């Protein structure tokens, strides 16, 4: 994730000991209306979590290029002034396309603030 | 539904956003009309998602389009009215060109009692050669 300038700009960091779990502190860089996360920042965080999960699933094929095809994000709750977590889950890894689900939450993983479905094109070296 | 004398000021609204996520992205107001808004996302190295090629990450484009379509909702409504993104779907038609400013145009084509329907396009100056297409909905939060 160190090679993703955008992830760094958002403030997203990996959670030690869990390769597909990320955290995002509440900071000015991700605020929309006062006291709430910006929807675009939540969506961007979900995209970063998806890419991290997909890279993890690709493993030794880490030189494969990942190109986003599309994304659908549902916003369920407002993101408040507290840390946010996100995890991507690769639901299918094919030879050319990968499907990834990602969820973001704050207090309780069972009460997500947003969820996304992403499709990626995989260009293998 | 549109108010003849719109009191919503997208320029002032965008200026306020610079304190938060809008500042990280560097999103600027470009133009607007009765039911649409156009914003600019200048190229920034901090927003790169593919360092090898210098291509912007997809997240900033999503945030740009979320903001442009949200402005379009305020504009069509005429006065500022709180709303939250319900869903946003984005097709990344092609990668953004490294070094180029991305223009995000959002349009609100329908407002009901509770929901605003939006669509938009991200491009680099030629709408016939888009970077991304979006469709989404916002829910009014003052009901």
């Amino acid at each position: 994730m160190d090679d993703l300038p955008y992830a760094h700009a958002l403030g997203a960091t990996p959670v030690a000991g869990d390769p597909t779990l990320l955290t995002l502190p509440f900071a000015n860089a991700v605020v929309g209306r006062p006291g709430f996360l910006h929807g675009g920042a939540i969506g961007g965080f979900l995209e970063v979590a998806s890419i991290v999960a997909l890279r993890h699933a690709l493993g030794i094929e880490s030189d494969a290029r990942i190109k986003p095809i599309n994304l659908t994000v549902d916003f369920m709750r407002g993101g408040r002034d507290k840390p946010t977590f996100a995890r991507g889950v690769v639901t299918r890894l094919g030879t050319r396309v990968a499907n990834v689900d990602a969820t973001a939450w704050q207090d309780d993983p069972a009460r997500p603030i947003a969820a996304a479905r992403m499709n990626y094109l995989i260009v293998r070296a | 539904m549109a108010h003849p004398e719109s009191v919503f000021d997208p320029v002032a609204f965008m200026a306020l956003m610079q304190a938060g996520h809008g500042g990280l992205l560097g999103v600027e107001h470009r133009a607007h009309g009765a039911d649409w808004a156009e914003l600019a996302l200048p190229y920034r190295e901090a927003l790169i998602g593919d360092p090898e090629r210098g291509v912007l990450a997809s997240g900033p484009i999503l945030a740009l389009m979320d903001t442009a379509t949200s402005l379009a909702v305020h504009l069509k409504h005429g006065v500022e009215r709180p709303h939250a993104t319900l869903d946003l779907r984005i097709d990344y038609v092609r990668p953004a060109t490294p070094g180029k400013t991305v223009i995000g145009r959002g349009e609100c084509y329908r407002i009901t009692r509770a929901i605003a329907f939006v669509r938009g396009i991200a491009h680099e100056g030629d709408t016939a050669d888009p970077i991304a297409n979006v469709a989404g909905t916002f829910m009014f939060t003052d009901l």
Side-chain angles (χ1 to χ4, degrees):
Chain A
M1 232 180 92
D2 294 341
D3 62 332
L4 287 175
Y6 172 63
H8 181 75
L10 274 181
T13 53
V15 174
D18 191 329
T20 59
L21 180 63
L22 305 184
T23 185
L24 179 78
F26 190 86
N28 278 343
V30 290
V31 170
R33 67 194 158 103
F36 287 89
L37 289 173
H38 189 283
I42 298 172
F45 184 41
L46 286 168
E47 292 201 57
V48 172
S50 297
I51 287 167
V52 167
L54 187 49
R55 282 182 172 184
H56 182 71
L58 284 165
I60 53 167
E61 291 182 81
S62 54
D63 55 339
R65 281 181 65 201
I66 298 167
K67 299 168 91 172
I69 302 168
N70 53 34
L71 155 77
T72 306
V73 53
D74 290 309
F75 296 91
M76 289 104 158
R77 294 175 176 86
R80 308 303 294 258
D81 185 355
K82 54 180 85 168
T84 306
F85 299 90
R87 187 192 297 283
V89 175
V90 179
T91 51
R92 180 177 181 269
L93 181 57
T95 52
R96 297 174 62 203
V97 169
N99 308 93
V100 186
D101 286 349
T103 310
W105 69 91
Q106 292 191 318
D107 301 309
D108 179 358
R111 290 176 55 83
I113 62 167
R117 284 190 56 247
M118 292 209 66
N119 297 317
Y120 290 95
L121 194 63
I122 299 167
V123 184
R124 295 175 194 268
Chain B
M1 190 78 71
H3 295 229
E5 292 168 58
S6 178
V7 293
F8 176 69
D9 180 356
V11 179
F13 191 88
M14 286 308 295
L16 282 175
M17 261 196 67
Q18 297 309 308
H21 194 54
L24 173 72
L25 301 176
V27 173
E28 299 159 359
H29 172 268
R30 230 174 92 93
H32 67 272
D35 60 356
W36 61 272
E38 217 170 72
L39 302 177
L41 174 72
Y43 184 77
R44 281 190 180 182
E45 284 181 2
L47 305 180
I48 288 173
D50 180 351
E52 221 172 290
R53 290 166 186 79
V55 174
L56 287 181
S58 44
I61 296 169
L62 173 79
L64 169 76
M65 298 314 296
D66 181 71
T67 308
T69 51
S70 168
L71 280 179
V73 173
H74 286 303
L75 284 159
K76 188 171 175 72
H77 187 67
V79 292
E80 188 173 330
R81 185 174 178 198
H83 55 260
T85 320
L86 199 56
D87 85 292
L88 198 63
R89 147 82 186 222
I90 182 160
D91 285 320
Y92 295 111
V93 183
R94 68 167 174 87
T97 310
K100 281 202 176 176
T101 293
V102 177
I103 298 161
R105 185 191 165 97
E107 179 196 346
C108 177
Y109 63 91
R110 172 88 173 145
I111 285 181
T112 67
R113 205 176 62 82
I115 305 292
F117 296 85
V118 299
R119 59 190 163 214
I121 185 169
H123 61 93
E124 291 168 342
D126 178 5
T127 54
D129 184 24
I131 295 167
N133 280 306
V134 306
T137 51
F138 288 90
M139 182 182 65
F140 292 112
T141 52
D142 57 355
L143 288 169

